[in-house]
């Protein structure tokens, strides 16, 4: 198999696009869903949970999937995960019970936990060095572009009915045959696999995992709460709400396309510092603006920040993880990624009982500035230590 072939890359990128699609495609539907289930106890809170609920099950399934694919191979579970993706995702179109919709979202989460772990591990298996660095940036860029398409389409369909965007999840079935046509199982060192119990990654990998979780806790408030914020500002069209959220993914794609060139000049720590600073600027604009234009400007900076931080985390983990336990470590990365998305509304939305939305965004901006300073501090400490040695 020629891993540099266009077909292999396109299939990997299409499977990758399912990840972002799983979470935010229905974002523009949330306000209308809230009205539809207004008679359900705690209905508004449960509707917001619909968006982030898959994250919990992605987190739970990814770590298990990582261990299984190291032991049994990458592709055996991929087909099953794509079928589950369609079934769990589309179920929301037909279901009238909010709790059953949440159950369907749980199935969707399990499928993404498996498929994302597999595709990210395959990227690490197929590519090395500069090629891996370039493809990781391309992967996040295409995921972001897919997000633009799916969010915009979701916004348009949400103007027809809040149920209509759920039909987009059928897309996974279109990808399924091409996975088996073009992707091949990487060769594995069976002896190394048998003795992998003694193999460990450097301890710093846990620092990366926790940072990824924190990154998503802070960022994921955007697709969850911005639709309601824009409604409060007088924006009525769901398509405009979808466009606002999609714009962040567009600028994320722009930044991710440039990641390889950025990484050539800066360290992992510096890139995280820059990413957090850009996100801090984003939340400050959203908080202070009180207008659709200022929210869009905030989406620009938020997208740029996430666009460099996501591939940065992926490449760092790929570099730290020994090949024998690569699937397990990437499974853990996926777990912390989506655990952050799941925890985001649970940790941040209760503060809206005490703060206005603008005040909450200002607080988040301050936290992001602090994180940026922490990473720059660690970078300078490491630089000084290296000079002394």
């Amino acid at each position: 198999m020629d891993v540099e072939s266009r077909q292999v890359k396109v299939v990997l990128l299409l499977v990758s696009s399912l990840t972002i699609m799983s979470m935010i495609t229905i974002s523009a539907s949330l306000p209308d869903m809230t009205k539809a289930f207004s008679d359900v106890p705690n209905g508004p809170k449960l509707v917001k949970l619909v968006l982030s609920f898959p994250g919990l099950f992605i987190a739970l399934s990814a770590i298990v999937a990582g261990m299984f694919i190291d032991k049994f191979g990458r592709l055996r579970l991929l087909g099953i995960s794509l079928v589950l993706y369609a079934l769990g995702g589309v179920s929301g179109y037909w279901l009238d019970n909010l709790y059953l919709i949440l159950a369907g979202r749980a199935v969707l989460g399990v499928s993404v936990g498996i498929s994302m772990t597999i595709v990210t591990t395959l990227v690490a298996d197929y590519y090395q060095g500069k090629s891996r660095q370039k493809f990781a940036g391309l992967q996040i860029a295409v995921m972001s572009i897919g997000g633009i398409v799916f969010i915009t389409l979701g916004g348009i369909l949400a103007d027809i009915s809040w149920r209509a965007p759920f039909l987009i999840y059928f897309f996974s079935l279109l990808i399924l045959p091409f996975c088996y046509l073009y992707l091949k199982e990487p060769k594995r060192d069976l002896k190394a696999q048998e003795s992998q119990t003694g193999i460990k990654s450097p301890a710093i990998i846990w620092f990366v995992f926790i940072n990824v979780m924190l990154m998503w806790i802070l960022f994921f408030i955007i697709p969850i709460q911005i639709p309601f914020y824009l409604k409060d500002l007088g924006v009525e069209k769901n398509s405009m709400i979808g466009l606002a959220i999609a714009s962040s993914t567009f600028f994320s794609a722009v930044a991710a396309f440039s990641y390889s060139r950025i990484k050539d000049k800066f360290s992992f720590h510096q890139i995280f510092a820059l990413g957090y600073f850009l996100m801090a600027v984003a939340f400050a604009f959203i908080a202070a603006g009180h207008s659709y234009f200022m929210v869009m400007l905030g989406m620009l900076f938020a997208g740029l920040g996430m666009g460099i931080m996501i591939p940065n985390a992926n490449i760092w983990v790929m570099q730290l993880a020994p090949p024998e336990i690569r699937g397990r470590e990437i499974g853990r990365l996926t777990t912390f990624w989506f655990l952050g998305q799941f925890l985001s509304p649970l940790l941040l939305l209760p503060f809206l009982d005490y703060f206005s939305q603008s005040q909450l965004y200002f607080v988040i901006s301050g936290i992001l500035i602090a994180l940026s300073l922490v990473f720059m501090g660690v970078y300078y400490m490491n630089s000084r230590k290296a000079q002394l040695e």
Side-chain angles (χ1 to χ4, degrees), residues 32-257:
D32 288 345
M33 281 187 70
T34 302
K35 294 177 183 177
F37 293 104
S38 59
D39 58 337
V40 177
N42 295 315
K45 291 182 179 179
L46 289 173
V47 167
K48 290 180 182 179
L49 195 59
V50 166
L51 197 69
S52 61
F53 201 54
L56 174 63
F57 291 88
I58 296 172
L60 294 174
S61 60
I63 195 164
V64 178
M67 291 186 286
F68 269 88
I69 66 176
D70 276 336
K71 189 171 184 180
F72 300 109
R74 316 313 196 202
L75 299 182
R76 292 186 182 183
L77 291 174
L78 186 57
I80 297 172
S81 71
L82 295 182
V83 173
L84 285 176
Y85 186 100
L87 293 175
V90 175
S91 64
Y93 179 78
W94 287 283
L95 295 172
D96 292 317
N97 185 297
L98 184 53
Y99 292 97
L100 290 179
I101 291 176
L102 286 169
R105 302 292 286 175
V107 173
L108 178 68
V110 170
S111 70
V112 174
I114 298 169
S115 63
M116 183 179 177
T117 302
I118 291 171
V119 74
T120 307
T121 306
L122 285 173
V123 171
D125 289 333
Y126 290 167
Y127 306 102
Q128 305 293 326
K130 186 75 172 178
S131 295
R132 180 190 289 173
Q133 191 170 291
K134 287 183 177 179
F135 193 88
L138 179 63
Q139 181 186 23
I140 302 305
V142 171
M143 287 171 67
S144 300
I145 292 170
I148 297 168
V149 174
F150 295 129
I151 295 170
T152 304
L153 182 57
I156 293 170
L157 292 175
D159 281 329
I160 300 172
S161 165
W162 66 262
R163 295 181 180 275
F166 285 92
L167 293 175
I168 299 174
Y169 292 109
F170 272 128
F171 182 65
S172 66
L173 297 183
L174 300 178
I175 301 173
L176 179 59
F178 297 102
C179 291
Y180 289 101
L181 188 61
Y182 294 114
L183 301 183
K184 302 297 180 184
E185 187 70 36
K187 293 181 180 180
R188 292 179 294 152
D189 187 338
L190 295 179
K191 290 183 179 179
Q193 294 289 329
E194 292 172 0
S195 61
Q196 66 176 246
T197 51
I199 300 173
K200 294 182 179 180
S201 299
I204 193 176
I205 201 169
W206 287 96
F207 172 76
V208 183
F209 292 153
I210 293 170
N211 174 65
V212 165
M213 181 178 67
L214 187 58
M215 177 179 79
W216 278 107
I217 286 173
L218 296 171
F219 175 79
F220 207 64
I221 196 69
I222 287 178
I224 292 173
Q225 196 59 32
I226 286 298
F228 297 91
Y229 187 58
L230 289 173
K231 288 284 186 180
D232 290 343
L233 293 178
V235 179
E236 294 298 328
K237 282 187 171 291
N238 290 323
S239 55
M240 290 185 68
I241 294 173
L243 179 63
I245 298 171
S247 67
S248 71
T249 62
F250 171 77
F251 290 105
S252 178
V254 172
F257 271 125

Side-chain angles (χ1 to χ4, degrees), residues 277-298:
F277 176 77
L278 291 170
M279 283 181 60
V281 172
F283 277 98
F285 273 124
I286 295 169
H290 300 293
S291 70
Y292 186 76
F293 172 76
M294 292 299 284
V295 170
M296 290 289 283
L297 199 57

